[in-house]
Amino acid sequence: MAARISTLSGLLELDTGIYIADIGAALLAETPVYAPLVREYAQAQLFSFDGDPRQIAALQAHYGDKATVLEHYVGDGEAHTAYVCDAASGMTSLFKPSPAALGFFNGFDDFGRVLQTETVHTTRLDAIDAIERIDFLKMDIQGSELRVLQHGREKLRECVAIQLEVSFIGLYEGQPTFGDIDHWMRANGYLPHRFMDIKRWSISPTVRNNNFRIPFNQLLEADAVYIKNPIALQHYSDNQLKRQVLFADLFFDSPDLAVYCLRELCTRQVLGEQALRQYFALLNTPAER
């Protein structure tokens, strides 16, 4: 992966830093798509947020000097009640768990059990001076994603890709769901690109093979990726196009999007045609894919 990142940064003639923000970054199960870039590319800067103090030490130990770890509940800048659940469940939220929704799914009565409540003060993304800009944003914050977007427009002005958890059935009272998120994203210049993961879950009380984690067909949530509108490339700066190529290849396994943006860079004469040839050679190198 280090060789691929080096080749990509070279053919793209990258000359600016890459700024990544992960809001709700607790190390629970997944490996973030940005992890190899942060590890291997010196100009990648990660800002890792979590409002739950139980998660901070693990984040600091994991990333060391590769990330700036910030203990913030990011939101609308107002005070809210935090509904604190078991740290391993990942269900601590600024929205109150819905007993009806939790009871619909096997196991969620336990996952969403509130251990305590506390008043917390949230910070608007736009008010966080430590961040110059955000090129790629990842969020998984149990229903507060829309609040962050609504109060982070300035920091996201240069952002070309956003990966966030969307819920098809809200597990929390008043939680914005997929349609609400999709409406905001489209209204603010983003289109859906792909689902990184779609989570289904079994409906209570029916269980498959004595394991309630094995789903049938009910949709629960997904990690959705939105990208700055690719049909209107005139609204991309040259550097935004370069970053989109990088993310398309390294994060999303979308070489077609990478080529699409590379061609525009060549049309603008920002890069020469050799950049496309180099990229196709990279795609055809078995050891690199």
Side-chain angles (χ1 to χ4, degrees):
M1 183 59 76
R4 185 177 196 85
I5 291 170
S6 177
T7 299
L8 280 169
S9 62
L11 72 87
L12 289 170
E13 300 176 8
L14 292 176
D15 55 6
T16 60
I18 304 294
Y19 295 87
I20 298 167
D22 188 342
I23 302 176
L27 301 168
L28 296 177
E30 65 178 317
T31 299
V33 294
Y34 58 73
L37 185 66
V38 170
R39 184 176 62 246
E40 303 292 349
Y41 186 59
Q43 293 193 73
Q45 298 188 43
L46 171 63
F47 297 89
S48 185
F49 292 86
D50 208 287
D52 188 340
R54 297 171 297 179
Q55 310 292 349
I56 297 301
L59 286 167
Q60 291 172 331
H62 181 77
Y63 287 114
D65 61 1
K66 293 288 187 179
T68 300
V69 178
L70 300 165
E71 186 181 331
H72 286 297
Y73 278 103
V74 185
D76 57 8
E78 302 295 329
H80 291 274
T81 298
Y83 297 87
V84 180
C85 301
D86 184 85
S89 75
M91 288 197 64
T92 293
S93 177
L94 301 184
F95 287 84
K96 184 179 180 179
S98 165
L102 296 180
F104 180 67
F105 293 103
N106 283 308
F108 273 84
D109 281 335
D110 288 330
F111 299 154
R113 180 175 291 111
V114 176
L115 304 179
Q116 66 185 68
T117 61
E118 56 187 56
T119 299
V120 299
H121 293 275
T122 64
T123 303
R124 293 183 304 110
L125 186 59
D126 279 342
I128 299 174
D129 293 334
I131 302 178
E132 176 183 334
R133 69 164 193 270
I134 298 172
D135 300 315
F136 174 73
L137 172 65
K138 181 181 181 297
M139 284 195 291
D140 182 353
I141 43 177
Q142 304 305 302
S144 292
E145 290 84 1
L146 186 56
R147 285 178 182 165
V148 173
L149 294 169
Q150 291 168 333
H151 296 274
R153 287 181 172 90
E154 289 303 313
K155 295 296 183 183
L156 295 173
R157 188 175 294 277
E158 297 295 316
C159 189
V160 297
I162 297 175
Q163 177 186 337
L164 72 171
E165 185 178 76
V166 295
S167 293
F168 300 110
I169 294 181
L171 297 174
Y172 306 90
E173 296 177 1
Q175 175 189 359
T177 53
F178 176 46
D180 302 305
I181 297 292
D182 186 70
H183 182 268
W184 191 94
M185 297 298 289
R186 290 174 184 270
N188 286 272
Y190 294 89
L191 291 180
H193 178 61
R194 67 165 292 183
F195 288 118
M196 300 299 293
D197 178 58
I198 299 177
K199 183 184 289 185
R200 296 173 293 141
W201 205 268
S202 61
I203 299 170
S204 178
T206 307
V207 175
R208 173 178 281 179
N209 297 338
N210 295 315
N211 183 351
F212 68 78
R213 294 178 182 274
I214 301 175
F216 292 93
N217 295 309
Q218 178 59 54
L219 293 171
L220 174 57
E221 59 198 18
D223 267 11
V225 172
Y226 284 82
I227 59 175
K228 185 177 170 69
N229 187 350
I231 300 172
L233 290 184
Q234 69 271 20
H235 297 307
Y236 276 72
S237 69
D238 296 342
N239 280 328
Q240 285 178 313
L241 282 168
K242 290 181 179 183
R243 295 193 285 270
Q244 195 70 282
V245 172
L246 194 71
F247 301 156
D249 184 273
L250 296 177
F251 295 0
F252 310 139
D253 192 25
S254 299
D256 53 343
L257 175 61
V259 169
Y260 180 76
C261 294
L262 266 174
R263 291 184 65 206
E264 175 67 14
L265 285 164
C266 293
T267 298
R268 296 183 187 186
Q269 298 184 329
V270 174
L271 298 177
E273 292 295 329
Q274 78 278 359
L276 266 176
R277 292 194 294 271
Q278 284 180 275
Y279 186 67
F280 282 122
L282 190 63
L283 291 178
N284 292 323
T285 303
E288 291 284 358
R289 297 303 293 176

